[in-house]
Coordinates of all heavy atoms in Angstrom, one line a residue:
M18 N -28.7 9.2 43.3 CA -27.3 8.8 43.4 C -26.9 9.0 44.8 O -27.0 10.0 45.5 CB -26.4 9.4 42.5 CG -25.0 8.9 42.6 SD -24.0 9.6 41.2 CE -22.4 9.4 41.8
D19 N -26.6 7.9 45.5 CA -26.1 7.9 46.8 C -24.6 8.2 46.9 O -23.8 7.4 46.4 CB -26.3 6.5 47.5 CG -26.2 6.5 49.0 OD1 -26.3 7.7 49.5 OD2 -26.1 5.4 49.5
L20 N -24.2 9.3 47.5 CA -22.9 9.7 47.6 C -22.2 9.1 48.9 O -22.1 9.8 49.9 CB -22.7 11.2 47.5 CG -23.1 11.8 46.3 CD1 -22.9 13.4 46.4 CD2 -22.2 11.3 45.2
T21 N -21.9 7.9 48.8 CA -21.1 7.4 50.0 C -19.6 7.6 49.9 O -19.1 8.2 48.9 CB -21.4 5.8 50.0 OG1 -20.9 5.2 48.8 CG2 -22.9 5.5 50.2
H22 N -18.9 7.2 50.8 CA -17.5 7.4 50.9 C -16.8 6.5 49.8 O -16.0 7.0 49.0 CB -16.9 6.9 52.2 CG -15.4 7.0 52.3 ND1 -14.7 8.1 52.2 CD2 -14.5 6.0 52.5 CE1 -13.4 7.8 52.3 NE2 -13.3 6.5 52.4
E23 N -17.3 5.3 49.5 CA -16.8 4.4 48.4 C -17.0 5.0 47.1 O -16.2 4.9 46.2 CB -17.4 3.1 48.6 CG -17.0 2.2 49.7 CD -17.7 2.6 51.0 OE1 -18.7 3.2 51.0 OE2 -17.2 2.3 52.1
T24 N -18.2 5.6 46.9 CA -18.5 6.3 45.5 C -17.6 7.4 45.3 O -17.1 7.5 44.2 CB -20.0 6.7 45.6 OG1 -20.8 5.6 45.9 CG2 -20.4 7.2 44.3
M25 N -17.4 8.3 46.3 CA -16.5 9.4 46.2 C -15.1 8.9 46.0 O -14.3 9.6 45.1 CB -16.6 10.4 47.4 CG -17.9 11.0 47.5 SD -18.5 12.0 46.1 CE -17.4 13.3 46.3
L26 N -14.7 7.9 46.6 CA -13.3 7.4 46.5 C -13.0 6.8 45.0 O -12.1 7.1 44.5 CB -13.1 6.3 47.6 CG -11.8 5.6 47.5 CD1 -10.7 6.7 48.0 CD2 -11.7 4.5 48.5
E27 N -14.0 6.1 44.5 CA -13.9 5.6 43.2 C -13.9 6.8 42.1 O -13.1 6.8 41.2 CB -15.1 4.6 42.9 CG -14.9 3.3 43.5 CD -16.0 2.3 43.1 OE1 -16.7 2.5 42.1 OE2 -16.4 1.5 44.0
L28 N -14.8 7.8 42.4 CA -14.8 8.9 41.4 C -13.5 9.6 41.4 O -13.0 9.9 40.4 CB -15.9 9.8 41.8 CG -16.2 10.9 40.9 CD1 -16.7 10.5 39.6 CD2 -17.2 11.8 41.6
S29 N -12.9 9.9 42.6 CA -11.6 10.6 42.7 C -10.5 9.8 42.1 O -9.6 10.3 41.5 CB -11.3 10.9 44.1 OG -11.1 9.8 45.0
K30 N -10.5 8.4 42.2 CA -9.5 7.6 41.7 C -9.5 7.7 40.1 O -8.6 7.8 39.4 CB -9.6 6.1 42.1 CG -9.1 5.8 43.5 CD -9.2 4.4 43.9 CE -8.7 4.2 45.2 NZ -8.8 2.8 45.5
V31 N -10.7 7.6 39.6 CA -10.9 7.7 38.1 C -10.5 9.0 37.5 O -9.7 9.0 36.6 CB -12.4 7.3 37.7 CG1 -12.7 7.6 36.3 CG2 -12.7 5.9 38.0
W32 N -11.0 10.1 38.2 CA -10.6 11.4 37.6 C -9.2 11.7 37.8 O -8.6 12.3 37.0 CB -11.4 12.5 38.2 CG -12.9 12.4 37.6 CD1 -14.1 12.1 38.2 CD2 -13.2 12.8 36.3 NE1 -15.2 12.1 37.3 CE2 -14.6 12.6 36.2 CE3 -12.4 13.2 35.2 CZ2 -15.3 12.8 35.0 CZ3 -13.2 13.5 34.0 CH2 -14.5 13.3 33.9
G33 N -8.6 11.2 39.0 CA -7.1 11.4 39.1 C -6.3 10.7 38.1 O -5.3 11.2 37.7
L34 N -6.8 9.4 37.7 CA -6.1 8.6 36.7 C -6.1 9.4 35.3 O -5.2 9.5 34.6 CB -6.7 7.3 36.5 CG -6.1 6.4 35.5 CD1 -4.6 6.1 35.7 CD2 -7.0 5.1 35.4
F35 N -7.4 9.9 35.0 CA -7.5 10.6 33.7 C -6.6 11.9 33.8 O -6.0 12.2 32.7 CB -9.0 11.1 33.5 CG -9.7 9.8 33.0 CD1 -11.2 9.7 33.4 CD2 -9.2 8.7 32.3 CE1 -11.9 8.7 33.0 CE2 -10.0 7.7 31.9 CZ -11.4 7.6 32.2
Y36 N -6.6 12.6 34.9 CA -5.8 13.8 35.0 C -4.4 13.5 34.7 O -3.7 14.2 34.0 CB -6.0 14.5 36.4 CG -5.1 15.6 36.8 CD1 -5.2 16.8 36.1 CD2 -4.1 15.3 37.6 CE1 -4.3 17.8 36.5 CE2 -3.1 16.4 37.9 CZ -3.3 17.6 37.3 OH -2.4 18.6 37.6
L37 N -3.8 12.5 35.5 CA -2.4 12.1 35.3 C -2.1 11.7 33.8 O -1.1 12.0 33.4 CB -2.0 11.1 36.3 CG -1.9 11.6 37.7 CD1 -1.6 10.5 38.6 CD2 -0.9 12.7 37.9
I38 N -3.0 10.9 33.2 CA -2.7 10.5 31.9 C -2.7 11.7 30.9 O -1.9 11.8 30.1 CB -3.8 9.4 31.4 CG1 -3.6 8.2 32.2 CG2 -3.8 9.3 29.9 CD1 -4.7 7.1 32.0
L39 N -3.7 12.6 31.0 CA -3.6 13.8 30.2 C -2.5 14.8 30.5 O -1.9 15.3 29.5 CB -5.0 14.6 30.3 CG -6.1 13.9 29.9 CD1 -7.5 14.6 30.3 CD2 -6.1 13.7 28.4
F40 N -2.1 14.8 31.7 CA -0.9 15.7 32.0 C 0.3 15.0 31.4 O 1.2 15.8 30.8 CB -0.7 15.7 33.6 CG 0.4 16.6 33.9 CD1 0.3 18.0 33.9 CD2 1.6 16.1 34.4 CE1 1.4 18.8 34.2 CE2 2.6 16.8 34.9 CZ 2.5 18.2 34.7
S41 N 0.4 13.6 31.5 CA 1.6 13.0 30.9 C 1.6 13.2 29.3 O 2.7 13.4 28.7 CB 1.6 11.6 31.2 OG 1.7 11.4 32.6
I42 N 0.4 13.1 28.7 CA 0.4 13.3 27.2 C 0.8 14.6 26.9 O 1.5 14.9 25.9 CB -1.0 12.9 26.7 CG1 -1.2 11.5 26.8 CG2 -1.1 13.3 25.3 CD1 -2.6 11.0 26.6
G43 N 0.3 15.7 27.7 CA 0.7 17.0 27.5 C 2.2 17.3 27.6 O 2.8 18.0 26.8
V44 N 2.9 16.7 28.6 CA 4.4 16.8 28.8 C 5.0 16.2 27.6 O 6.1 16.7 27.0 CB 4.8 16.2 30.1 CG1 6.3 16.0 30.2 CG2 4.3 17.0 31.2
I45 N 4.7 15.0 27.1 CA 5.2 14.4 26.0 C 5.1 15.2 24.6 O 6.0 15.4 24.0 CB 4.7 12.9 25.8 CG1 5.1 12.1 26.9 CG2 5.1 12.4 24.5 CD1 4.6 10.7 27.0
I46 N 3.9 15.8 24.5 CA 3.7 16.6 23.3 C 4.6 17.8 23.4 O 5.2 18.2 22.4 CB 2.2 17.1 23.3 CG1 1.3 15.8 22.8 CG2 2.0 18.2 22.2 CD1 -0.1 16.0 22.8
Y47 N 4.7 18.4 24.6 CA 5.5 19.6 24.7 C 7.0 19.3 24.5 O 7.7 20.1 23.8 CB 5.4 20.3 26.1 CG 6.3 21.3 26.4 CD1 6.2 22.6 25.9 CD2 7.5 21.1 27.2 CE1 7.0 23.7 26.2 CE2 8.3 22.1 27.4 CZ 8.2 23.4 26.9 OH 9.0 24.4 27.2
T48 N 7.5 18.1 24.9 CA 8.8 17.8 24.7 C 9.1 17.6 23.3 O 10.3 18.0 22.8 CB 9.0 16.5 25.6 OG1 8.8 16.6 26.8 CG2 10.4 16.0 25.4
F49 N 8.3 16.9 22.6 CA 8.6 16.6 21.2 C 8.0 17.6 20.1 O 8.2 17.4 19.0 CB 8.1 15.3 20.8 CG 9.0 14.1 21.6 CD1 8.4 13.5 22.6 CD2 10.2 13.9 21.3 CE1 9.1 12.5 23.3 CE2 10.9 12.9 21.9 CZ 10.3 12.2 23.0
W50 N 7.5 18.8 20.5 CA 7.1 19.8 19.7 C 8.2 20.3 18.9 O 9.3 20.6 19.5 CB 6.4 20.8 20.5 CG 5.5 21.7 19.7 CD1 5.7 22.9 19.1 CD2 4.1 21.3 19.2 NE1 4.7 23.3 18.4 CE2 3.6 22.4 18.4 CE3 3.3 20.3 19.5 CZ2 2.3 22.4 18.0 CZ3 2.0 20.2 18.9 CH2 1.6 21.2 18.2
P51 N 8.1 20.5 17.6 CA 9.3 20.8 16.8 C 9.9 22.2 17.2 O 11.1 22.3 17.0 CB 8.7 20.8 15.3 CG 7.7 19.9 15.4 CD 7.0 20.0 16.6
S52 N 9.1 23.1 17.5 CA 9.6 24.4 17.8 C 10.4 24.5 19.1 O 11.1 25.5 19.3 CB 8.4 25.5 17.9 OG 7.6 25.2 18.9
N53 N 10.3 23.4 19.9 CA 11.1 23.4 21.2 C 12.4 22.7 21.1 O 13.2 22.8 22.0 CB 10.3 22.7 22.3 CG 9.1 23.5 22.7 OD1 9.0 24.7 22.7 ND2 8.0 22.8 23.2
K54 N 12.7 22.3 19.9 CA 14.0 21.6 19.7 C 15.2 22.5 20.0 O 16.2 22.1 20.6 CB 14.1 21.0 18.3 CG 15.4 20.3 18.1 CD 15.4 19.5 16.7 CE 16.5 18.8 16.3 NZ 17.5 18.4 17.4
A55 N 15.3 23.7 19.4 CA 16.4 24.6 19.6 C 16.5 24.9 21.0 O 17.6 25.0 21.6 CB 16.0 25.9 18.8
R56 N 15.4 25.1 21.9 CA 15.6 25.5 23.2 C 16.2 24.3 23.9 O 17.0 24.5 24.9 CB 14.1 25.7 23.8 CG 14.1 25.9 25.3 CD 12.8 26.1 25.9 NE 12.1 27.2 25.2 CZ 10.8 27.4 25.2 NH1 10.0 26.6 25.8 NH2 10.2 28.5 24.6
F57 N 15.7 23.0 23.7 CA 16.3 21.9 24.4 C 17.8 21.6 24.0 O 18.6 21.2 24.8 CB 15.5 20.6 24.2 CG 14.1 20.7 24.8 CD1 13.0 20.3 24.2 CD2 13.9 21.3 26.0 CE1 11.7 20.4 24.8 CE2 12.7 21.4 26.6 CZ 11.6 21.0 26.0
D58 N 18.1 21.9 22.8 CA 19.5 21.7 22.3 C 20.4 22.7 23.0 O 21.4 22.4 23.4 CB 19.6 21.8 20.8 CG 19.0 20.6 20.1 OD1 18.9 19.5 20.8 OD2 18.8 20.7 18.9
R59 N 19.9 23.9 23.0 CA 20.6 24.9 23.8 C 20.8 24.6 25.2 O 21.8 24.8 25.8 CB 20.0 26.4 23.5 CG 20.8 27.5 24.1 CD 20.1 28.8 23.8 NE 18.9 28.9 24.5 CZ 17.7 29.0 23.8 NH1 17.7 29.0 22.6 NH2 16.5 29.1 24.4
A60 N 19.8 24.2 25.9 CA 19.9 23.8 27.4 C 20.9 22.6 27.6 O 21.6 22.6 28.5 CB 18.6 23.4 27.8
E61 N 20.9 21.7 26.6 CA 21.8 20.6 26.7 C 23.3 21.0 26.5 O 24.2 20.4 27.3 CB 21.5 19.6 25.6 CG 22.3 18.4 25.4 CD 22.0 17.5 24.3 OE1 21.4 17.9 23.3 OE2 22.4 16.4 24.3
T62 N 23.6 22.0 25.7 CA 25.0 22.3 25.6 C 25.4 23.5 26.4 O 26.7 23.8 26.5 CB 25.3 22.6 24.1 OG1 24.5 23.7 23.6 CG2 25.1 21.3 23.2
D63 N 24.4 24.3 26.8 CA 24.7 25.5 27.5 C 25.6 25.3 28.9 O 26.4 26.1 29.2 CB 23.5 26.3 27.9 CG 23.7 27.7 27.6 OD1 24.5 28.1 26.9 OD2 22.6 28.4 28.0
I64 N 25.3 24.2 29.5 CA 26.0 24.0 30.8 C 27.4 23.7 30.7 O 28.2 24.0 31.5 CB 25.2 22.7 31.5 CG1 25.7 22.6 32.9 CG2 25.5 21.5 30.6 CD1 25.0 21.6 33.7
F65 N 27.9 23.2 29.5 CA 29.3 22.9 29.3 C 29.9 24.2 28.8 O 31.2 24.3 29.0 CB 29.3 21.9 28.1 CG 28.8 20.5 28.6 CD1 27.8 19.9 27.9 CD2 29.3 19.8 29.8 CE1 27.2 18.7 28.3 CE2 28.8 18.7 30.2 CZ 27.7 18.1 29.5
V66 N 29.3 25.0 28.1 CA 30.0 26.3 27.7 C 30.3 27.2 28.8 O 31.3 27.8 28.9 CB 29.0 27.1 26.7 CG1 29.6 28.4 26.4 CG2 28.9 26.2 25.4
K67 N 29.3 27.2 29.8 CA 29.6 28.2 30.9 C 30.5 27.6 32.1 O 31.1 28.3 32.8 CB 28.2 28.5 31.6 CG 27.3 29.3 30.6 CD 26.1 29.7 31.4 CE 25.2 30.5 30.4 NZ 23.9 30.8 31.0
D68 N 30.6 26.3 32.0 CA 31.4 25.7 33.1 C 32.7 25.1 32.6 O 33.0 23.9 32.8 CB 30.6 24.7 33.9 CG 29.5 25.2 34.7 OD1 29.6 26.4 35.0 OD2 28.6 24.5 35.0
D69 N 33.4 25.9 31.9 CA 34.7 25.2 31.3 C 35.9 25.5 32.3 O 37.0 25.1 31.8 CB 34.8 25.8 30.0 CG 35.1 27.3 29.9 OD1 35.0 27.9 30.9 OD2 35.6 27.9 28.9
T70 N 35.8 26.0 33.4 CA 36.8 26.2 34.3 C 36.5 25.5 35.7 O 35.3 25.3 35.9 CB 37.1 27.7 34.7 OG1 36.0 28.2 35.2 CG2 37.4 28.4 33.4
P71 N 37.6 25.0 36.3 CA 37.3 24.3 37.6 C 36.8 25.2 38.6 O 37.0 26.4 38.6 CB 38.7 23.7 37.9 CG 39.7 24.4 37.2 CD 39.0 25.0 36.0
W72 N 36.1 24.6 39.6 CA 35.7 25.4 40.8 C 36.8 25.8 41.7 O 37.8 25.1 41.8 CB 34.6 24.6 41.6 CG 33.3 24.3 41.0 CD1 33.0 24.6 39.7 CD2 32.3 23.9 41.7 NE1 31.7 24.3 39.5 CE2 31.2 23.8 40.7 CE3 32.0 23.4 43.0 CZ2 30.0 23.4 41.0 CZ3 30.7 23.0 43.3 CH2 29.7 23.1 42.3
R73 N 36.6 27.0 42.3 CA 37.7 27.5 43.3 C 37.1 27.7 44.6 O 36.1 27.9 44.8 CB 38.3 28.7 42.8 CG 39.1 28.5 41.5 CD 39.9 29.6 41.0 NE 40.5 29.3 39.8 CZ 41.8 29.5 39.5 NH1 42.5 30.1 40.5 NH2 42.2 29.2 38.4

């Protein structure tokens, strides 16, 4: 196998694409995992509970 610049460029593009696809799938799975629902619901409403007064 001849490792030219073009070969290494194509290889890095393919593996980079697979890496980003797998990372995106992992983020989506983490987001919609049932045990994380309480954490995300608390983060959604926590900001309003702590900031109920105007800034001074």
Side-chain angles (χ1 to χ4, degrees):
M18 183 172 164
D19 190 21
L20 292 179
T21 64
H22 176 65
E23 289 81 19
T24 305
M25 295 301 290
L26 184 64
E27 287 180 27
L28 186 65
S29 66
K30 284 182 179 182
V31 168
W32 284 110
L34 177 66
F35 286 146
Y36 168 76
L37 289 175
I38 289 172
L39 289 175
F40 184 75
S41 299
I42 290 171
V44 167
I45 290 171
I46 289 172
Y47 173 77
T48 302
F49 291 107
W50 201 260
S52 63
N53 291 332
K54 181 173 177 24
R56 177 185 301 164
F57 292 140
D58 286 342
R59 187 175 62 245
E61 180 183 11
T62 58
D63 229 10
I64 190 169
F65 298 118
V66 172
K67 292 181 182 177
D68 290 339
D69 62 348
T70 60
W72 286 15
R73 292 185 186 233

